[in-house]
Amino acid sequence: EDKVVQSPLSLVVHEGDTVTLNCSYEVTNFRSLLWYKQEKKAPTFLFMLTSSGIEKKSGRLSSILDKKELFSILNITATQTGDSAVYLCAVETGTASKLTFGTGTRLQVTL
Amino acid sequence: GAVVSQHPSRVICKSGTSVKIECRSLDFQATTMFWYRQFPKQSLMLMATSNEGSKATYEQGVEKDKFLINHASLTLSTLTVTSAHPEDSSFYICSARSHVLAGGYNEQFFGPGTRLTVL
């Protein structure tokens, strides 16, 4: 059974702090790893990673994948209150491109 | 980006009734649609994968006779929760994927979700 585990489950930080969210996985037929941000409704896409060691960046967010150790991290620098959300990691597998989601990390950024 | 809509956004029904949720891809043709369920403070769990014109593939533990999925066209999939019970109360989210928009990656575009409450 495919498994995706995220840590920590929740995190409270002050505005301006830097956070690192972790995602480890055990799956068969790995295709890619994706990060999503979920606020009140549906997840919004952040990154898709397929190759080890190549950092993806978008503004204050960045992510990297290690396919040997089977994990990924999502970094957020200079956090803002608008970053408060649940961050979901998902692994895409197989020819059907099925997504298996992790438990999510609930991030709260306070003033 | 591509837009996926769901209707209704929120529904309350009595135990024993059936509820239909629609998922539409508004500006692209979705060859595959996925249905997820999310319980409070938990992650998304894939329920089934639906390909246009064929039967849905259900994940282990999901009752196909209870959660009926129809993907009759390239822009519409429906999920019907039959004989709903309070334990079916959840947030149901669909996603749609198109090979045409792939660009090397078949991104799944998520709908806004439907909150079902069964009394």
Side-chain angles (χ1 to χ4, degrees), chain A residues 42-89:
Chain A
T44 52
F45 173 78
L46 294 175
F47 297 112
M48 189 269 288
L49 304 150
T50 54
S51 303
S52 279
I54 299 172
E55 187 184 47
K56 293 275 181 103
K57 272 183 84 77
S58 175
R60 297 177 293 103
L61 277 67
S62 63
S63 183
I64 197 159
L65 173 67
D66 185 328
K67 288 168 77 172
K68 187 179 170 193
E69 300 297 327
L70 307 182
F71 80 90
S72 173
I73 60 171
L74 174 70
N75 277 324
I76 309 175
T77 58
T79 51
Q80 301 171 358
T81 54
D83 295 327
S84 297
V86 175
Y87 289 84
L88 296 167
C89 169

Side-chain angles (χ1 to χ4, degrees), chain B residues 95-110:
Chain B
S95 70
R97 190 184 72 202
S98 165
H99 291 286
V100 174
L101 295 178
Y105 165 56
N106 291 343
E107 182 176 349
Q108 287 187 33
F109 299 96
F110 286 86

Side-chain angles (χ1 to χ4, degrees), chain B residues 42-110:
Chain B
Q42 292 188 29
S43 193
L44 277 74
M45 298 292 295
L46 179 65
M47 298 174 68
T49 302
S50 166
N51 290 299
E52 186 265 337
S54 61
K55 286 186 181 176
T57 303
Y58 289 81
E59 294 299 299
Q60 198 171 4
V62 178
E63 297 174 61
K64 61 181 179 184
D65 294 330
K66 181 170 181 63
F67 298 100
L68 302 178
I69 290 171
N70 185 291
H71 191 164
S73 78
L74 284 171
T75 59
L76 173 65
S77 175
T78 59
L79 167 69
T80 302
V81 183
T82 62
S83 188
H85 289 286
E87 56 264 31
D88 299 323
S89 299
S90 188
F91 192 51
Y92 291 86
I93 303 177
C94 73
S95 70
R97 190 184 72 202
S98 165
H99 291 286
V100 174
L101 295 178
Y105 165 56
N106 291 343
E107 182 176 349
Q108 287 187 33
F109 299 96
F110 286 86

Side-chain angles (χ1 to χ4, degrees), chain A residues 32 34 36 38 40-43 45 48 88 92 95-99 101-104 106, chain B residues 34 36 38 41-44 46 49 59 91 93 97 105-108 110-113 115:
Chain A
S32 65
L34 301 101
Y36 291 88
Q38 187 178 26
K40 301 257 185 202
K41 294 191 173 177
F45 173 78
M48 189 269 288
L88 296 167
E92 183 187 20
T95 50
S97 292
K98 186 178 121 171
L99 289 182
F101 281 84
T103 46
R106 185 174 295 276
Chain B
F34 301 87
Y36 297 86
Q38 187 176 34
K41 299 201 175 169
Q42 292 188 29
S43 193
L44 277 74
L46 179 65
T49 302
E59 294 299 299
F91 192 51
I93 303 177
R97 190 184 72 202
Y105 165 56
N106 291 343
E107 182 176 349
Q108 287 187 33
F110 286 86
R115 187 160 300 285

